[in-house]
Amino acid sequence: WEATVPDGTAVKIYVKAADTINGLQSAVRHGPFETSPADLIAAGEIMGHYLWVEVVLSTEVEGLTPIFKGLGVQWICGGED
């Protein structure tokens, strides 16, 4: 993802994956990921046809906020040996 994150602010990303949209509701929430790019493979079994992404912006400084600019996801298909 791309963001401007001044001192005293934060951007945290959480993800869920499931094979159905309804399955996202009860799927395991992974994160927070606080640096970009996030290594979802290292986070464990995040598998499914649907990916739910939650972006949380926070600040500890009145009048100062992070600016979230965008997010991309890349899927790499692992082949059978």
Side-chain angles (χ1 to χ4, degrees):
W1 67 89
E2 185 180 351
T4 300
V5 187
D7 289 342
T9 71
V11 174
K12 296 180 182 179
I13 307 290
Y14 296 87
V15 298
K16 293 181 180 184
D19 285 327
T20 65
I21 291 173
N22 289 338
L24 289 171
Q25 204 169 24
S26 60
V28 174
R29 183 180 184 226
H30 297 272
F33 301 98
E34 299 183 55
T35 58
S36 179
D39 185 355
L40 301 184
I41 294 171
E45 287 288 314
I46 303 176
M47 298 183 69
H49 290 95
Y50 295 90
L51 182 68
W52 173 88
V53 179
E54 177 184 357
V55 180
V56 178
L57 309 177
S58 62
T59 186
E60 296 177 355
V61 182
E62 187 174 337
L64 187 62
T65 62
I67 300 170
F68 186 78
K69 298 176 183 176
L71 177 132
V73 177
Q74 181 180 13
W75 179 68
I76 300 171
C77 179
E80 295 290 323
D81 290 336

